[in-house]
Amino acid sequence: MMKRLDIKLIVLDVDGVLTDGKLLIGSNGVEFKSFHVKDGMGISLAKYYGIKVVIITGRKSEAVRIRAKELKIDYVYEGITDKLSVLKEIIKTLNLKPENVFFMGDDINDLPVINNVGFSAAPNDAAQIVKNAVDFVSNLNGGNGAVREVIDYILSQQDDYDYIVKNYVKEKIVINQ
């Protein structure tokens, strides 16, 4: 049985987590990334619940900045080789404890963060060493709803998930009839 979660900060890698990890680079040097809308809805739901969301990624990408702006991600750090140092600064700034932090990563460069947070997860197609180190392995691959699956799990462990969704729909989604 897993411990009760008290997550106040969601930290996500991008390539292989929010995307399928493929790098599509056109002949003009423009990079394209594919993001799953279900992950976006999960992030919106977590933010509605009051959880802050952070992206820490090793690459720099205009596509990431655009998607982060659309989702109103609280903090975006790109081109980061030492993700743990950045995370420690965020935790300090927000006056949180490591046990209040969730991180999702997919490869060996994410292991230092995975080993220093309260709850960690990986997509189903993550490196095996990462899957062995995390608390939760998604049934879904990166870029295919894995983030949403874990966010739904976190919210269901912290509160009445159906109640959260009901209120989110009532307040955030306008249905034209």
Side-chain angles (χ1 to χ4, degrees), residues 6 10 34 37 45 61 68-69 79 90 101 106 112 115 120 123 131 146 150 156 166:
D6 184 23
I10 291 173
S34 175
V37 295
L45 194 57
S61 168
K69 185 176 179 181
I90 296 166
V101 179
D106 70 311
N115 294 322
S120 60
K131 290 168 47 171
V150 184
S156 71
K166 179 182 172 188

Side-chain angles (χ1 to χ4, degrees), residues 1 3 13 23 26 39 44 79 113 134 144 160 162 165 170:
M1 182 76 184
K3 61 187 175 203
D13 181 30
L23 299 176
D39 289 337
S44 295
V113 176
V134 298
N144 288 290
D160 180 342
D162 292 334
V165 171
K170 191 186 314 179

Side-chain angles (χ1 to χ4, degrees), residues 12-15 17-19 31-45 47 53-55 57 61-76 78 143-145 147-148 151 168:
L12 303 168
D13 181 30
V14 175
D15 296 315
V17 173
L18 283 169
T19 75
E31 183 177 82
F32 297 90
K33 295 184 184 287
S34 175
F35 299 92
H36 202 292
V37 295
K38 287 186 179 159
D39 289 337
M41 181 59 77
I43 289 168
S44 295
L45 194 57
K47 288 183 60 58
V53 180
V54 177
I55 286 175
T57 180
S61 168
E62 183 65 22
V64 170
R65 289 187 290 278
I66 290 168
R67 186 64 175 144
K69 185 176 179 181
E70 288 175 348
L71 294 173
K72 298 177 177 70
I73 303 279
D74 298 286
Y75 305 95
V76 179
E78 297 180 278
N144 288 290
V147 171
R148 169 67 177 275
I151 289 174
Y168 178 88

